[in-house]
Amino acid sequence: MELQNRTEVRKGTIPLGNLVSWLFKDVTVQNMSNGLISATLIMTGPAIILLDAAALGGFTNQQSINWMFSVYFFGGLFGILMSLRYRMPITGGHSLTGVAFLSTVTAQFTYPQLIGGYLMSGLIILLIGMSGLFTKMIKWVPKEVISGMLAGLVTSYVVRLVPGVKELPIVGGAALISYFLLMKFAKQIPPALGAVVVAILTLLGTQGLEIDQMGNSFFIPSIQTPEFTWMGLLSLALPLAMLILSNDASPGIGALESTGYHPPIRRIISGTGIFSIITGFFGGQCSNIAGMMTAICSSADSGPKSTRYVASFVSGMAMVLFGIFSWKIVPFIQSLPNALISMLSGFALIGVLLSNLQLSFRGKNYTLSSLIAFIIALSNVSFFHISAPVWALLFGAVLARTIEK
């Protein structure tokens, strides 16, 4: 009977009542805590980086709330549905690397053009998922080159950590100490998460915050009007889709496979495309399987293998609530000092920078092409209205396939 029920779950035919009873039966302290850690990881630093990118793009308050609502609500919903459908820790979220990329290009497009780029990116991912081209497409651009480009993108954020600490020495000092202490003595708690929490608590304890009163008025997210352009396709949609597939989908699927699961790759990628299109209509760049969050929820710390899907469910529920209350959360984050936002963005991306630098230069095959991709992305210079990350991938891939082949 148990085998029959599990087969029904995989086929998606299990009755709702049985699914709910199984869910409550499988809840443990381990998968609950890991699910909350996973959600907190994306609800702290990435949320701040998102609003920083919105500010650079000149977004209105309502556009910023739309963006925050869409990526967290639909990203959480994606994780809820996928984890229950397949009883695997397939954890939903949005692409942090995508947000870091958008911070370099939002000022180059109008808001409707950004929405059009998001929709085209989701459509590209959907077509790749349906066709099964995911693996072949990623192989053409070496992972080392993609990591070099990404490292160049986030370096400017991490560097801003230094002047932020200088401007707020008490807050920055407390955050730095907590970061290193957690890294040394409490490895189960992400150091970036601890630094963000300590920094905000220290700021509240030493200074006051004046929150915009608009946060007290309820705001209903609305569907946005897109504008489609060729430049949006080349400079926005294509690199965003590649970042989502290579830096979120690929690590997420790899985390599932490394822990003994057999994830439905085509359905995960196609689902990412569908949810990203829906998210795009509400002003968000994507909703996808989250690499780091899936690694957390699928790890042995989440308890027995058969119950780890609950961690992804809990993470998704927390994200959905975060998205629903974005009309309250956005004004709070916007009230934080610019120095603190720069500091928190830096803490949130230290791990991303370190891991991508290690991946880019740990071998001897593509060191030059990875370095070129890193330098071009770091320059943040556009040619012919095509952004630096696109040129970084292009030059890096050509060098990798010719000079360093």
Side-chain angles (χ1 to χ4, degrees), residues 43-55:
M43 293 188 305
T44 48
I48 294 169
I49 297 172
L50 185 151
L51 290 180
D52 193 19

Side-chain angles (χ1 to χ4, degrees), residues 224-241:
Q224 308 299 297
T225 303
E227 179 184 343
F228 302 100
T229 64
W230 284 107
M231 199 55 61
L233 174 64
L234 295 175
S235 291
L236 180 58
L238 283 174
L240 179 60

Side-chain angles (χ1 to χ4, degrees), residues 264-300:
I265 297 177
R266 284 195 180 188
R267 294 182 180 181
I268 290 175
I269 302 301
S270 299
T272 291
I274 293 172
F275 270 81
S276 293
I277 292 173
I278 297 172
T279 304
F281 274 114
F282 284 89
Q285 83 280 8
C286 62
S287 294
N288 52 270
I289 177 174
M292 182 62 68
M293 296 167 66
T294 298
I296 292 173
C297 293
S298 63
S299 68

Side-chain angles (χ1 to χ4, degrees), residues 5-7 16 44 62 71 74 83 123 129 159 166 174 187 197 205 248 281 293 320 326-327 341 383 392:
N5 286 341
R6 292 186 182 276
T7 303
L16 179 61
T44 48
Q62 291 184 351
V71 294
F74 292 111
S83 61
L123 181 60
V159 169
K166 179 182 178 182
K187 296 183 179 181
V197 173
D248 292 282
F281 274 114
M293 296 167 66
V320 166
S326 58
W327 60 282
I341 292 177
F383 292 100

Side-chain angles (χ1 to χ4, degrees), residues 239-255:
L240 179 60
M242 181 167 288
L243 283 173
I244 294 168
L245 292 173
S246 62
N247 293 290
D248 292 282
S250 183
I253 292 171

Side-chain angles (χ1 to χ4, degrees), residues 87-405:
R87 282 175 65 87
M88 294 183 192
I90 303 171
T91 313
H94 67 87
S95 176
L96 173 59
T97 58
V99 175
F101 162 69
L102 289 173
S103 67
T104 67
V105 298
T106 49
Q108 302 173 22
F109 296 92
T110 65
Y111 185 72
Q113 289 172 347
L114 288 172
I115 302 301
Y118 301 161
L119 295 177
M120 289 189 286
S121 174
L123 181 60
I124 291 170
I125 295 173
L126 175 59
L127 294 176
I128 291 174
M130 294 175 63
S131 64
L133 291 174
F134 173 62
T135 304
K136 295 180 181 179
M137 190 172 177
I138 292 300
K139 283 183 177 179
W140 190 81
V141 181
K143 291 183 178 180
E144 292 86 348
V145 172
I146 296 176
S147 294
M149 181 273 291
L150 184 58
L153 274 180
V154 303
T155 296
S156 59
Y157 277 94
V158 177
V159 169
R160 288 161 59 186
L161 174 64
V162 178
V165 172
K166 179 182 178 182
E167 189 170 338
L168 296 173
I170 297 177
V171 175
L176 279 173
I177 292 172
S178 64
Y179 184 90
F180 292 124
L181 287 177
L182 288 173
M183 179 180 289
K184 178 68 175 178
F185 299 109
K187 296 183 179 181
Q188 290 187 346
I189 301 175
L193 171 60
V196 168
V197 173
V198 169
I200 294 177
L201 291 178
T202 305
L203 179 74
L204 293 176
T206 57
Q207 303 179 25
L209 283 181
E210 295 183 3
I211 302 176
D212 189 347
Q213 291 301 313
M214 183 181 174
N216 296 326
S217 58
F218 179 70
F219 173 74
I220 300 177
S222 57
I223 294 178
Q224 308 299 297
T225 303
E227 179 184 343
F228 302 100
T229 64
W230 284 107
M231 199 55 61
L233 174 64
L234 295 175
S235 291
L236 180 58
L238 283 174
L240 179 60
M242 181 167 288
L243 283 173
I244 294 168
L245 292 173
S246 62
N247 293 290
D248 292 282
S250 183
I253 292 171
L256 291 170
E257 291 178 337
S258 66
T259 48
Y261 293 97
H262 301 284
I265 297 177
R266 284 195 180 188
R267 294 182 180 181
I268 290 175
I269 302 301
S270 299
T272 291
I274 293 172
F275 270 81
S276 293
I277 292 173
I278 297 172
T279 304
F281 274 114
F282 284 89
Q285 83 280 8
C286 62
S287 294
N288 52 270
I289 177 174
M292 182 62 68
M293 296 167 66
T294 298
I296 292 173
C297 293
S298 63
S299 68
D301 294 334
S302 294
K305 181 182 174 183
S306 62
T307 66
R308 293 176 194 172
Y309 75 97
V310 178
S312 297
F313 176 84
V314 171
S315 178
M317 289 296 297
M319 284 183 60
V320 166
L321 292 174
F322 190 86
I324 291 174
F325 289 99
S326 58
W327 60 282
K328 278 285 190 181
I329 296 168
V330 168
F332 168 75
I333 296 178
Q334 289 176 333
S335 67
L336 299 175
N338 291 332
L340 180 65
I341 292 177
S342 298
M343 193 189 308
L344 299 184
S345 299
F347 279 121
L349 290 172
I350 285 178
V352 176
L353 175 60
L354 181 60
S355 62
N356 280 280
L357 285 175
Q358 290 173 337
L359 180 58
S360 298
F361 303 109
R362 67 182 178 184
K364 298 180 179 180
N365 293 331
Y366 302 111
T367 52
L368 177 60
S369 51
S370 298
L371 179 61
I372 294 299
F374 173 84
I375 293 172
I376 294 175
L378 180 62
S379 71
N380 196 26
V381 176
S382 299
F383 292 100
F384 305 110
H385 301 287
I386 298 177
S387 59
V390 180
W391 290 115
L393 291 175
L394 179 61
F395 277 98
V398 170
L399 285 174
R401 296 303 177 191
T402 56
I403 304 301
E404 294 190 295
K405 185 175 181 181

